[in-house]
Amino acid sequence: MKPIQISMIAALLALLLFSAILASRSIASKSSIERTIKGDGFAVLELFTYEGCSSCPPADELLAKVQKEAGNRPVYVLTYHVDYWDRLGWKDTFSNADYSKRQYQYASKLNAQVYTPQLVVNGKTEFVGSNESATDYAINSALKGSPKSSVNLHGSLQSGKMAIDYQVTGDTDNDELVIAVVQKNAISRVKRGENEGRTLAHAQIVRQLYSFDLESAKKGQVSISLSKDFNTDGWELIGFLQDPKTRAINAATKVIF
């Protein structure tokens, strides 16, 4: 066989081997993704943000992307607008002192500082909210978990209020039922502060937050008041079981209504 033919055959074999390696890596990657999707876990992402913070828009955009790409996976996005930066010249449209308090509670349990944008996942870990790689890792890790409890929620609208029937399983004696009333999208034009002149897009804004002591009850009903502009198209309710002492979130779901 001529030398040039031998070289061509060797090159072809090398190409086939390289293609096989790439294919095996692709299959391994796909299998990993499939295992994540089929996991029993859940991920509750709580972003603490502020309209007057120049570092916050990238985090807001990332969480909006996460929400859009979540699909049918049990990934729940909540954004809380804190109020402790209001003194710097711009009052956030959605800021609430209760959300600042919630962030400080997390900081105490996680031995962390309080800052914006800060992302807390399942009440167990925190990091900078614009860190996409950390966010992806935290979501995938959470979805691979094996929760020891569960919660099902069904709501019924009643003229400005909603009655929510709940049913829980597992060890929930120490948990509270937390219900977040969430506005899916909003646009704000910031006139002062670090983001002066910018038009900001917000996603998954927590407008109201309620908590109820379950004690030993495995099922029951609670009632919450709703914002005047609440509607079933642009809003949703997310509920989760949280240990008020450790701040760990042990189960989560959306309210079906």
Side-chain angles (χ1 to χ4, degrees), residues 46-95:
E46 299 181 87
L47 175 67
F48 295 90
T49 185
Y50 182 71
E51 286 184 336
C53 160
S54 61
S55 301
C56 288
D60 295 331
E61 293 169 5
L62 174 58
L63 269 291
K65 177 184 175 183
V66 169
Q67 173 70 16
K68 183 178 180 180
E69 296 178 351
N72 295 323
R73 296 187 299 170
V75 177
Y76 309 102
V77 176
L78 304 169
T79 60
Y80 302 91
H81 289 242
V82 298
D83 73 333
Y84 49 76
W85 295 132
D86 283 349
R87 56 185 172 79
L88 298 181
W90 174 251
K91 179 173 172 51
D92 190 311
T93 309
F94 304 107
S95 64

Side-chain angles (χ1 to χ4, degrees), residues 148-150 168-175 215 218 241 250:
K148 296 181 180 180
S149 57
S150 67
V168 301
T169 63
D171 182 10
T172 62
D173 290 353
N174 296 323
D175 290 345
E215 296 180 343
K218 293 297 182 180
L241 302 180
N250 299 314

Side-chain angles (χ1 to χ4, degrees), residues 136-240:
D136 290 343
Y137 179 81
I139 292 173
N140 288 330
S141 297
L143 292 179
K144 293 175 183 176
S146 300
K148 296 181 180 180
S149 57
S150 67
V151 56
N152 290 301
L153 303 169
H154 291 81
S156 176
L157 284 169
Q158 301 175 350
S159 62
K161 293 186 177 183
M162 182 173 289
I164 301 174
D165 293 305
Y166 68 85
Q167 184 167 0
V168 301
T169 63
D171 182 10
T172 62
D173 290 353
N174 296 323
D175 290 345
E176 292 179 336
L177 172 62
V178 182
I179 304 292
V181 183
V182 180
Q183 184 178 346
K184 295 180 181 179
N185 296 285
I187 300 292
S188 295
R189 183 169 178 79
V190 180
K191 298 180 180 179
R192 292 182 297 278
E194 293 181 357
N195 290 321
E196 181 178 359
R198 296 186 63 177
T199 299
L200 304 179
H202 304 306
Q204 297 298 109
I205 314 147
V206 178
R207 300 296 304 274
Q208 295 163 282
L209 194 66
Y210 298 91
S211 61
F212 303 91
D213 187 357
L214 295 180
E215 296 180 343
S216 59
K218 293 297 182 180
K219 62 180 180 179
Q221 185 180 87
V222 296
S223 179
I224 64 173
S225 298
L226 298 173
S227 175
K228 292 181 179 179
D229 47 354
F230 175 90
N231 64 77
T232 55
D233 292 327
W235 297 60
E236 65 181 5
L237 275 69
I238 294 173
F240 50 93

